[in-house]
Amino acid sequence: MQLFIGGACAGKRDAVAERFLKANWWRLNTGKPFSDSQRALVADTPLVITGVLEWLGAALERDDTDALRQQWQSDMAALCQHAEELNAPLIIIATEVGRGIVPMQPEQRRLRDLNGWFVQDATTQAEHVWYVRHGLVMGVK
């Protein structure tokens, strides 16, 4: 798996589109499990997953952060394994939201926490991590 992370409008989508010309793109559905992404896997075809921040935003109502995190960790590991079996490169695009003013609203702070944990878990699973800023792509793992 590869993870592309950077701020809003940093050039993540363009960087991925340039590298994976014939990829299928899958937007996470709010309120649906991460495991639904497996439906979009096609043998020998890269799969790009987007919409992480919005997907996490739908989980703000849940109080069981540990269970939520364990579920996406498990789903991500299964997705990576299935993608490998199908020789389908897996790419996740995530938005960096931890470099700014800390919001006053508790739900916005929690969203940043969830996003940070998700990105940490994705980084653990990823073979390569790319940080994108101003259209420049830097390999960080």
Side-chain angles (χ1 to χ4, degrees):
M1 178 179 73
Q2 296 190 47
L3 174 66
F4 284 75
I5 185 165
C9 303
K12 301 178 297 292
R13 286 177 162 274
D14 291 342
V16 170
E18 287 173 10
R19 287 167 173 76
F20 303 95
L21 299 174
K22 296 182 180 186
N24 288 337
W25 290 68
W26 173 266
R27 185 165 189 78
L28 293 172
N29 296 315
T30 56
K32 301 283 183 169
F34 188 82
S35 60
D36 276 6
S37 302
Q38 287 205 33
R39 297 183 312 168
L41 282 172
V42 176
D44 303 314
T45 305
L47 175 63
V48 179
I49 297 176
T50 65
V52 172
L53 193 61
E54 295 82 4
W55 177 75
L56 290 169
L60 286 175
E61 306 165 356
R62 294 182 55 176
D63 291 332
D64 55 345
T65 300
D66 291 337
L68 178 64
R69 189 171 181 193
Q70 288 173 354
Q71 185 62 56
W72 79 51
Q73 287 171 339
S74 173
D75 290 348
M76 193 181 301
L79 180 64
C80 286
Q81 181 165 348
H82 193 210
E84 189 173 318
E85 291 166 1
L86 292 173
N87 190 37
L90 181 61
I91 302 95
I92 296 177
I93 297 177
T95 303
E96 168 62 49
V97 293
R99 292 181 173 228
I101 297 170
V102 177
M104 291 177 53
Q105 303 87 349
E107 65 277 357
Q108 288 300 309
R109 290 193 305 272
R110 182 157 186 266
L111 178 59
R112 281 150 179 77
D113 290 344
L114 290 175
N115 190 66
W117 290 320
F118 182 91
V119 169
Q120 288 177 51
D121 295 336
T123 298
T124 299
Q125 292 282 334
E127 297 169 8
H128 300 283
V129 178
W130 307 93
Y131 188 79
V132 184
R133 183 171 177 157
H134 304 300
L136 300 172
V137 181
M138 295 182 297
V140 294
K141 176 181 177 184

